[in-house]
Amino acid sequence: MDPQLSLIAAGGAYLAGSIPFGLIIARVFRGIDIRQHGSGNIGATNVSRVLGAKWGISCLVLDALKGLLPVWLLPLALVAPDAESYRLLQVIAGVATILGHMFPCWLKFKGGK
């Protein structure tokens, strides 16, 4: 498999995983920094406690999608040459997405759990 495909998959998945939806939802819809309220976390549970269940569920769904979509779409978009490469790209995208969620570059590498 082409190493460039692996790097593109890893980079794209990391960036997708690093999107801090809890922070974005709180800032856009309530004008607050969610890290300064409740438990101080940016996750769906804290968003739900501080902003209400509707926003917490929205955050949870968006966080789940940022985990699913890179693993599902990146190998398709990058046109993996065979089934083995496709599965390898899925694993690379999955690991990179998790790392992006845990260590988002936008939040000084402090993020989800």
Side-chain angles (χ1 to χ4, degrees), residues 85-109:
S85 296
Y86 182 84
R87 285 186 186 84
L88 182 59
L89 284 176
Q90 284 184 310
V91 170
I92 290 168
V95 170
T97 301
I98 292 168
L99 290 173
H101 180 73
M102 292 173 59
F103 308 107
C105 57
W106 321 113
L107 301 176
K108 299 179 184 175
F109 302 99

Side-chain angles (χ1 to χ4, degrees), residues 29-113:
F29 294 103
R30 295 292 166 90
I32 64 170
D33 184 345
I34 195 73
R35 297 171 294 184
Q36 297 175 353
H37 298 276
S39 67
N41 292 324
I42 62 170
T45 301
N46 196 39
V47 170
S48 183
R49 285 183 194 136
V50 175
L51 303 180
K54 175 178 80 168
W55 297 114
I57 292 169
S58 299
C59 181
L60 180 66
V61 168
L62 289 169
D63 278 346
L65 287 174
K66 80 177 181 183
L68 170 70
L69 293 179
V71 174
W72 179 42
L73 294 177
L74 278 172
L76 291 174
L78 296 174
V79 189
D82 53 43
E84 184 178 330
S85 296
Y86 182 84
R87 285 186 186 84
L88 182 59
L89 284 176
Q90 284 184 310
V91 170
I92 290 168
V95 170
T97 301
I98 292 168
L99 290 173
H101 180 73
M102 292 173 59
F103 308 107
C105 57
W106 321 113
L107 301 176
K108 299 179 184 175
F109 302 99
K110 297 176 184 174
K113 295 180 175 102

